[in-house]
Amino acid sequence: MTKPQISAIICTHNRDSYLGAAIDSLLTQEFADFEILVVDNGSSDRTRSIIESRLSHPHLKYIWEPTIGLSVARNTGASTAKAEILAYLDDDAIASPQWLRILHSAYQNNQKLAIAGGKVTLLWPENLQPPKWLSDNLASNLGAYDLGNSPININTPGLTPRGLNYSIRRSFLEQIGGFDTNLGRIGKKLLSNEELHVTEQALQQGWQIAYLPEALVAHNVAPERINTTWFLERGWWQGISECHCQQLKGKIGISQLLEGSERLARGAYKTLKYIAQPAQRFENFVYAYGQIGYLSTAIHHILFPPKITEKRRL
């Protein structure tokens, strides 16, 4: 097989109920010159058999990665992939038929493009509707991502494409040493911000980031996530992730305590302010709760200064 134009990578961990549909959405892409790599990140369910049942397809490859961690798995996929453009799809997402074509075209037309991703819609389970306490902002924790119907050049790290619908230029990823394995989900630890950290580096170095609405992906909403406990846990780990990001920049100390305390107070105030509005009330409560995770991590770092090591796989 000659070198493909784009490598589609699915990193999966015990998600056999959704994985087959994710792979099949890649096997039916309009774009022809690509490869598919499925990185099995230590799964113990039917993941391997689901992949092996499709291995007769010439585009598909199976990779075993025993070290648990999404960023580890992403780096393993990148190091094995052959193409210059790497496109990451979550194991519980479904890519539109034009997904790879739209992404590939964007990179061909812009040599300064480092990162690109598209709109993400949510696939709700049958007979399950969004609860009244779920705001649009909190829905982004389920993967929703919509910046409109026109392409946008992103200059703000917080607007970076979602990891479930995410592509990156290999040369840039190698330049920064890969995804930082201190960030990103590790088993049941809902760490995040790995894409945000990469986007910050890209913007600092003069690269461009694009939102491409036609590179559409649909993301399945797992029923077990539609409860307030999951969102509170997600908020807690978001606070920890933000603290880790600041740690990578060398920001550890009293300033973090002041910042976290101010944000905790602001979140608590807005929770009371919107007491009669379920969605706004809960959104601010999750935000405030996340600041407790942020502060607890900051205090731990002050008392027990960590050795800052960037674990790289590329």
Side-chain angles (χ1 to χ4, degrees):
M1 181 179 178
T2 58
K3 183 177 179 180
Q5 292 294 306
I6 191 167
S7 297
I9 303 171
I10 297 176
C11 301
T12 186
H13 174 70
N14 289 338
R15 201 65 72 75
D16 58 4
S17 60
Y18 296 114
L19 179 60
I23 297 173
D24 291 343
S25 74
L26 294 178
L27 293 175
T28 55
Q29 289 289 299
E30 296 173 357
F31 192 75
D33 192 3
F34 68 101
E35 65 174 352
I36 304 169
L37 290 79
V38 183
V39 182
D40 183 353
N41 194 202
S43 298
S44 57
D45 58 3
R46 295 178 53 251
T47 289
R48 182 159 192 155
S49 63
I50 288 171
I51 301 169
E52 288 180 340
S53 69
R54 293 164 170 80
L55 281 179
S56 60
H57 197 289
H59 288 299
L60 185 61
K61 297 179 182 178
Y62 172 84
I63 303 170
W64 170 257
E65 173 50 69
T67 303
I68 303 298
L70 180 55
S71 290
V72 172
R74 283 176 172 169
N75 288 341
T76 297
S79 64
T80 308
K82 296 180 179 179
E84 168 62 11
I85 307 305
L86 311 174
Y88 289 93
L89 180 74
D90 267 16
D91 55 3
D92 54 356
I94 298 175
S96 57
Q98 71 273 15
W99 187 58
L100 290 178
R101 175 176 59 81
I102 297 296
L103 292 176
H104 177 264
S105 177
Y107 286 95
Q108 291 297 107
N109 294 328
N110 184 359
Q111 293 303 308
K112 291 297 293 179
L113 185 63
I115 299 164
K119 183 183 296 188
V120 180
T121 59
L122 298 182
L123 290 174
W124 289 87
E126 188 176 356
N127 300 323
L128 183 62
Q129 298 295 323
K132 293 181 179 180
W133 48 260
L134 183 64
S135 67
D136 290 342
N137 284 337
L138 279 185
S140 66
N141 289 339
L142 299 173
Y145 178 64
D146 186 350
L147 300 182
N149 296 321
S150 300
I152 295 174
N153 288 325
I154 294 173
N155 297 312
T156 303
L159 297 179
T160 191
R162 297 293 180 262
L164 67 97
N165 178 359
Y166 188 87
S167 66
I168 190 166
R169 191 180 294 274
R170 171 197 287 278
S171 57
F172 167 68
L173 187 62
E174 291 177 342
Q175 178 183 328
I176 64 173
F179 292 97
D180 194 296
T181 55
N182 295 290
L183 300 169
R185 182 165 182 168
I186 302 174
K188 294 184 179 180
K189 297 179 179 180
L190 303 180
L191 289 164
S192 58
N193 283 27
E194 67 275 27
E195 299 96 6
L196 176 68
H197 183 54
V198 171
T199 292
E200 288 175 338
Q201 294 176 85
L203 292 174
Q204 289 169 2
Q205 297 177 25
W207 289 90
Q208 295 179 13
I209 295 93
Y211 164 74
L212 308 170
E214 292 185 356
L216 180 67
V217 162
H219 188 236
N220 282 287
V221 176
E224 60 271 19
R225 294 184 178 182
I226 308 306
N227 62 78
T228 56
T229 300
W230 185 86
F231 279 89
L232 287 171
E233 183 182 10
R234 177 67 177 78
W236 176 273
W237 284 104
Q238 178 64 35
I240 293 174
S241 300
E242 290 176 1
C243 191
H244 282 320
C245 273
Q246 292 182 344
Q247 173 190 332
L248 292 172
K249 301 173 187 176
K251 184 178 179 181
I252 302 175
I254 300 301
S255 63
Q256 285 189 303
L257 300 184
L258 296 174
E259 181 178 350
S261 298
E262 189 276 331
R263 294 192 299 188
L264 173 59
R266 184 168 67 248
Y269 167 74
K270 288 187 175 182
T271 299
L272 295 174
K273 179 180 178 180
Y274 296 106
I275 193 70
Q277 302 177 35
Q280 289 299 315
R281 179 181 70 235
F282 186 62
E283 177 185 325
N284 284 288
F285 184 68
V286 170
Y287 176 82
Y289 189 74
Q291 302 316 307
I292 301 175
Y294 174 96
L295 285 167
S296 64
T297 305
I299 292 171
H300 182 81
H301 287 170
I302 292 172
L303 297 177
F304 309 100
K307 295 180 179 179
I308 301 176
T309 58
E310 301 240 353
K311 301 176 183 178
R312 302 299 192 184
R313 294 295 302 272
L314 291 183

